[in-house]
């Protein structure tokens, strides 16, 4: 049975390799008769298996949505960075309702992830039979697969806490199915396993790879995993509670050890000198934008481990089609993720002052601007690179989001439908649009906040459609490692080193350096630098602040706010107002939501599993 299982894995691997990088050699093979013995005699076939292990890696990337993609639930929209735009969306459709975070939000199927883990285990065992490889080649492959296996376990532990630790291939025996049913390990044991595997892999993996293999794991990728996993574990130990005899939670006395492990991995990675913060463009906004676009295509010196896409091979993604501003979407979709005004105001001014927007002058009168974009002058350059603002340059045009028109008597005419609808008013014989081409109303698909996500949008794309995007997704980049270092150092009482790491990020961003440091400043910098990259939701959970009231930085009571630009007929200028009453549900994050519910199907398939607290099957 073990050999049959592996043969199915080989078949899938060959298919994966064939779609990504066909070769004359593989074209000549009869895939129907490939046996495990043949595989381990041919390096090309071994690489085919490895391709399959990479393709099944659990990554929270562009195509990662909870449930159906049109519901717009990803780690960005479910954090306090943004909200979903579509008004028909059952999660974001009613400003008078409330939304309780779902029990299985961002859950993973154990059967799927453990299949990948099993294939890693099988690879590690079968590799020893590969007579076509020397010992050095085997050691490198072993390290690579140990990293991939550890990454899969990290995807599980950050959701569920302790999970079954299986590091050997299980043999199927119909008479003893209970031997396949492994109980959950303690959360600390899983984190220790991940960190140890990553550190051991880092010793054997190459520091760099040639162009043909540059997207495979390196020692830097392994150290980055150790850095992140240990930081998570340290936070959970310091701020969380231990339940189920340690199946979830980590004893508080372990916090320092894990912070030290994160600190060590971060320091080693930075000191390697292999990676550097991207800083090739004197225009700070353009510089930051280039990191995440096709301008650099991931070849920016900062990405440590990334997921690449290839449209020609059928491996593109949908990010642009799902998220471009309304007028650029080309007949459907678009608009997906709408950053909130709350998030926009998190971006400081370049002199380091608070990021709250000034909508009135010193006399209390509304500021009147020819271009709404001018409202954001002197803000952190990362804002302009990450968010489309009203008036932003956008794909050769301008992003236009207008709430409505005000006549010379002060009467307001508000947009009532999405662009292209009946948004017009005649004033003194002149017809005015009450909406911008990219939105302004509470109805329809366009943004309800006045903003769109810019980070990762490919403005060079001419065919905006499903599966046509190739912008790479950063699984690890050096910016995060500096932030990990700062947080771990501060937790260890090394404040000067924490300050130095944070200022490396701020200096690259083009804003004033800090003169002192505290945890609030570290967390704030992390929120800005890593915005929309899938970190914030998990950070709020590991810090155990997600269940706090929104006024305390949590998700309870959060719905987000909007900026409303109004066009004034009297002088052709814009005035602005803030709204805390956008048509989005008020969120409720419960303490049980720190851990995801294990699905009923997974619970039923393994009677030895224990459900997380607060949930029933």
């Amino acid at each position: 049975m073990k050999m049959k299982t592996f043969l199915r894995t080989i078949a899938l691997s060959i298919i994966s390799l064939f779609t990504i990088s066909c070769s004359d050699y593989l074209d000549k093979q009869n895939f129907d008769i490939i046996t495990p013995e043949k595989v381990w005699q041919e390096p090309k076939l071994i690489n085919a298996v490895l391709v399959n292990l990479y393709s099944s890696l659990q990554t929270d990337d562009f195509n990662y949505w909870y449930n159906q993609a049109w519901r717009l639930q990803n780690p960005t929209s479910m954090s306090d960075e943004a909200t979903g735009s579509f008004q028909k969306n059952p999660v974001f459709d009613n400003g008078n309702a409330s939304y309780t975070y779902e029990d299985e939000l961002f859950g993973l199927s154990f059967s799927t992830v453990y299949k990948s883990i099993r294939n890693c285990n099988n690879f590690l065992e079968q590799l020893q039979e590969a007579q076509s490889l020397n010992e050095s080649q085997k050691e490198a492959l072993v390290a690579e697969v140990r990293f991939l296996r550890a990454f899969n376990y990290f995807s599980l532990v950050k959701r569920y806490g302790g999970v079954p630790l299986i590091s050997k291939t299980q043999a199927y025996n119909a008479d003893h199915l209970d031997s396949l049913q492994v109980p959950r390990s303690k959360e600390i044991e899983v984190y220790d396993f991940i960190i140890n595997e990553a550190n051991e892999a880092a010793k054997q993996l190459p520091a760099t790879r040639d162009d043909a293999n540059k997207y495979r794991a390196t020692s830097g990728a392994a150290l980055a995993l150790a850095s992140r996993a240990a930081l998570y574990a340290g936070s959970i130990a310091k701020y969380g509670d231990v339940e189920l005899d340690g199946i979830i939670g980590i004893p508080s006395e372990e916090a320092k050890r894990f912070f030290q492990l994160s600190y060590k991995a971060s320091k080693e990675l930075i000191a390697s000198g292999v990676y550097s913060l991207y800083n090739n463009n004197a225009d700070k906004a353009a510089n930051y934008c280039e990191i995440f676009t096709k301008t650099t295509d991931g070849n920016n010196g900062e990405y440590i481990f990334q997921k690449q896409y290839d449209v020609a091979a059928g491996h593109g993604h949908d990010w642009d089609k799902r998220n471009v501003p309304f007028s650029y979407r080309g007949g459907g979709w678009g608009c997906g993720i709408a950053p909130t005004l709350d998030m926009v105001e998190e971006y400081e001014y370049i002199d380091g002052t608070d990021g709250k927007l000034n909508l009135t002058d010193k006399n209390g009168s509304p500021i009147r601007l020819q271009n709404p974009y001018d409202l954001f002058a002197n803000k952190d350059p990362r804002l302009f690179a990450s968010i489309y603002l009203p008036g932003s340059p956008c794909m050769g045009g301008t992003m236009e989001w207008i709430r409505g028109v005000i006549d010379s008597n002060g009467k307001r005419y508000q947009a009532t439908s999405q662009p292209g609808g009946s948004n017009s008013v005649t004033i003194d014989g002149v017809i005015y649009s009450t909406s911008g081409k990219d939105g302004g109303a509470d109805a329809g698909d366009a943004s309800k906040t006045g903003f769109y996500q810019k980070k990762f949008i490919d403005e060079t794309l001419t065919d905006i459609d499903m599966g046509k995007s190739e912008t790479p997704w950063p699984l690890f980049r050096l910016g995060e490692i500096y932030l990990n270092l700062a947080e771990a150092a501060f937790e260890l009482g090394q404040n000067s080193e924490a300050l130095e790491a944070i200022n490396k990020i701020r200096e690259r961003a083009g804003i004033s350096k800090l003169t002192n440091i505290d945890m609030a400043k570290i967390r704030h910098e992390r929120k800005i630098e890593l915005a929309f990259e899938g970190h914030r939701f998990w950070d709020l959970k590991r810090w155990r602040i997600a269940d706090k009231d929104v006024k305390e930085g949590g998700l309870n009571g959060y719905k987000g706010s909007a900026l409303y630009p109004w066009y004034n007929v009297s002088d052709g200028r814009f005035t602005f107002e803030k709204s805390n009453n956008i048509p989005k549900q008020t969120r409720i994050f419960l303490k049980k939501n720190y851990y995801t519910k294990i699905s009923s199907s997974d619970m039923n398939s393994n009677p030895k599993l224990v459900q997380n607290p607060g949930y029933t099957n």
Side-chain angles (χ1 to χ4, degrees):
M1 186 65 184
K2 177 179 176 181
M3 296 297 277
K4 290 181 180 179
T5 298
F6 191 69
L7 186 56
R8 287 196 296 271
T9 301
I10 296 300
L12 290 172
S13 303
I14 297 302
I15 292 171
S16 297
L17 179 67
F18 190 71
T19 59
I20 294 174
S21 54
C22 299
S23 69
D24 292 339
Y25 175 82
L26 287 176
D27 288 341
K28 295 176 182 177
Q29 298 304 297
N30 183 342
F31 298 144
D32 293 332
I33 61 172
I34 288 179
T35 65
E37 290 75 16
K38 271 194 173 184
V39 167
W40 302 113
Q41 293 172 13
E42 271 299 338
K44 288 186 178 181
L45 296 184
I46 294 173
N47 284 336
V49 182
L50 189 62
V51 166
N52 191 62
L53 299 184
Y54 272 96
S55 68
S56 63
L57 195 65
Q58 178 53 51
T59 58
D60 302 349
D61 54 46
F62 291 114
N63 292 325
Y64 179 67
W65 304 89
Y66 175 65
N67 203 332
Q68 298 166 302
W70 70 271
R71 298 181 79 208
L72 303 178
Q73 291 178 274
N74 71 0
T76 287
S77 65
M78 300 311 296
S79 73
D80 56 2
E81 297 173 313
T83 187
S85 290
F86 302 164
Q87 210 49 34
K88 63 184 178 181
N89 189 318
V91 178
F92 303 110
D93 67 349
N94 188 343
N96 296 318
S98 61
Y99 164 77
T100 301
Y101 280 76
E102 293 163 70
D103 292 352
E104 295 182 39
L105 182 66
F106 304 138
L108 296 176
S109 167
F110 277 26
S111 60
T112 299
V113 183
Y114 276 102
K115 178 180 178 181
S116 298
I117 291 171
R118 181 195 65 209
N119 289 344
C120 288
N121 291 337
N122 215 326
F123 185 99
L124 293 171
E125 294 167 15
Q126 298 283 349
L127 182 64
Q128 305 312 313
E129 303 173 15
Q131 298 179 3
S132 59
L133 301 177
N134 61 40
E135 287 306 309
S136 177
Q137 291 171 318
K138 288 182 182 180
E139 286 178 359
L141 283 173
V142 165
E144 193 168 1
V145 174
R146 288 177 73 178
F147 163 78
L148 296 176
R149 181 176 62 181
F151 193 103
N152 280 320
Y153 269 115
F154 179 70
S155 295
L156 287 171
V157 73
K158 74 177 184 180
R159 290 167 165 83
Y160 299 103
V163 293
L165 265 179
I166 304 172
S167 58
K168 301 289 184 182
T169 304
Q170 294 176 294
Y172 177 81
N173 186 330
D175 296 326
H176 296 284
L177 290 178
D178 60 333
S179 64
L180 302 177
Q181 297 165 353
V182 180
R184 297 173 67 179
S185 296
K186 293 183 177 182
E187 185 166 2
I188 188 174
E189 294 171 337
V190 180
Y191 271 109
D192 275 329
F193 177 82
I194 293 166
I195 297 163
N196 181 68
E197 289 290 286
N199 283 327
E200 288 300 311
K203 297 174 183 177
Q204 298 295 333
L205 286 169
T208 60
R209 292 187 183 272
D210 59 25
D211 284 346
N213 296 286
K214 62 184 177 182
Y215 302 125
R216 290 169 61 177
T218 60
S219 59
L223 288 171
L225 176 59
S227 167
R228 186 189 295 176
L231 188 67
Y232 274 50
S235 300
I236 292 165
K238 182 170 182 177
Y239 302 110
D241 299 317
V242 176
E243 298 184 67
L244 299 179
D245 195 29
I247 289 178
I248 64 169
I250 297 174
S252 59
E253 60 268 23
E254 296 285 355
K256 183 176 180 180
R257 177 173 71 88
F258 281 115
F259 287 134
Q260 186 65 47
L261 287 169
S262 180
Y263 173 87
K264 181 177 181 296
S266 302
K267 289 280 285 186
E268 184 176 345
L269 202 165
I270 293 170
S272 72
V274 175
Y275 310 97
S276 60
L277 294 176
Y278 183 77
N279 208 14
N280 291 5
N281 193 323
D283 182 322
K284 291 298 186 180
N287 184 76
Y288 187 75
C289 187
E290 287 171 4
I291 301 171
F292 310 101
T293 65
K294 288 292 287 181
T295 301
T296 61
D297 197 28
N299 298 316
N300 49 42
E302 182 165 341
Y303 280 12
I304 299 167
F305 188 52
Q306 59 186 283
K307 185 168 184 178
Q308 274 282 335
Y309 299 85
D310 186 345
V311 170
H315 295 279
H317 62 80
D318 308 331
W319 186 256
D320 296 273
K321 182 61 174 174
R322 294 190 185 277
N323 291 284
V324 291
F326 187 91
S327 66
Y328 300 88
R329 62 187 192 154
W333 295 100
C335 309
I337 302 300
T340 61
L341 175 60
D342 316 69
M343 184 64 192
V344 169
E345 292 191 320
E346 286 288 321
Y347 289 82
E348 302 165 47
Y349 288 90
I350 57 176
D351 63 1
T353 54
D354 184 84
K356 294 292 182 183
L357 295 172
N358 298 313
L359 306 187
T360 58
D361 61 22
K362 62 182 180 180
N363 297 318
S365 300
I367 289 176
R368 308 180 79 86
L369 298 173
Q370 192 77 41
N371 184 347
Y373 197 52
D374 294 339
L375 181 66
F376 309 95
N378 298 318
K379 291 275 276 184
D380 185 331
R382 290 174 293 186
L383 172 64
F384 308 104
S386 303
I387 298 176
Y388 285 120
L389 311 160
S392 278
C394 181
M395 303 183 212
T398 300
M399 198 285 274
E400 298 175 358
W401 200 100
I402 302 170
R403 185 63 169 174
V405 173
I406 304 176
D407 68 16
S408 56
N409 296 315
K411 184 176 180 180
R412 298 187 174 206
Y413 300 88
Q414 182 177 314
T416 56
S417 64
Q418 68 181 26
S422 55
N423 292 316
S424 65
V425 60
T426 302
I427 300 174
D428 297 331
V430 179
I431 299 175
Y432 296 90
S433 172
T434 56
S435 168
K437 63 183 176 64
D438 296 301
D442 286 342
D445 290 346
S447 168
K448 309 303 180 297
T449 66
F451 308 103
Y452 289 96
Q453 181 177 330
K454 181 179 181 179
K455 186 180 275 191
F456 298 118
I457 292 292
D458 180 6
E459 292 201 341
T460 69
L461 197 63
T462 56
D463 184 8
I464 300 177
D465 206 348
M466 296 298 185
K468 297 297 185 179
S469 297
E470 292 184 325
T471 306
W473 178 262
L475 296 172
F476 298 109
R477 67 179 178 92
L478 191 62
E480 180 203 346
I481 304 306
Y482 272 109
L483 292 163
N484 292 354
L485 174 62
E487 187 175 340
F490 186 82
E491 293 283 15
L492 293 168
Q494 300 176 33
N495 295 11
S496 60
E497 194 161 3
L499 179 62
E500 181 182 2
I502 289 294
N503 279 334
K504 288 281 189 182
I505 296 294
R506 292 174 70 89
E507 182 179 28
R508 190 271 294 276
I511 62 175
S512 65
K513 294 182 180 181
L514 298 176
T515 57
N516 56 76
I517 196 72
D518 58 32
M519 184 56 75
K521 291 176 181 177
I522 292 171
R523 291 179 178 181
H524 174 266
E525 198 63 40
R526 189 176 180 92
K527 183 176 184 179
I528 297 302
E529 176 66 22
L530 301 180
F532 315 123
E533 296 178 45
H535 292 274
R536 179 67 178 173
F537 179 79
W538 303 107
D539 284 344
L540 290 171
K541 291 183 75 170
R542 69 180 174 89
W543 292 327
R544 296 300 192 259
I545 60 175
D547 71 309
K548 294 184 180 300
D549 186 81
V550 63
K551 295 178 181 178
E552 301 176 85
L555 293 173
N556 253 327
Y558 183 82
K559 68 187 306 185
S561 59
L563 177 70
Y564 294 158
W566 290 87
Y567 179 77
N568 293 265
V569 172
S570 60
D571 60 1
R573 292 178 177 269
F574 290 91
T575 53
F576 308 85
E577 67 177 357
K578 300 178 182 180
S579 175
N580 294 315
N581 193 35
I582 61 174
K584 300 297 173 184
Q585 296 186 25
T586 301
R587 304 185 197 178
I588 300 173
F589 188 100
L590 304 175
K591 284 191 174 183
K592 70 175 183 177
N593 297 132
Y594 283 121
Y595 291 96
T596 304
K597 178 184 178 181
I598 301 173
S599 71
S600 297
S601 60
D602 286 328
M603 290 292 293
N604 292 336
S605 67
N606 183 359
K608 294 182 182 178
L609 293 179
V610 178
Q611 184 60 271
N612 280 327
Y615 302 115
T616 58
N617 286 323

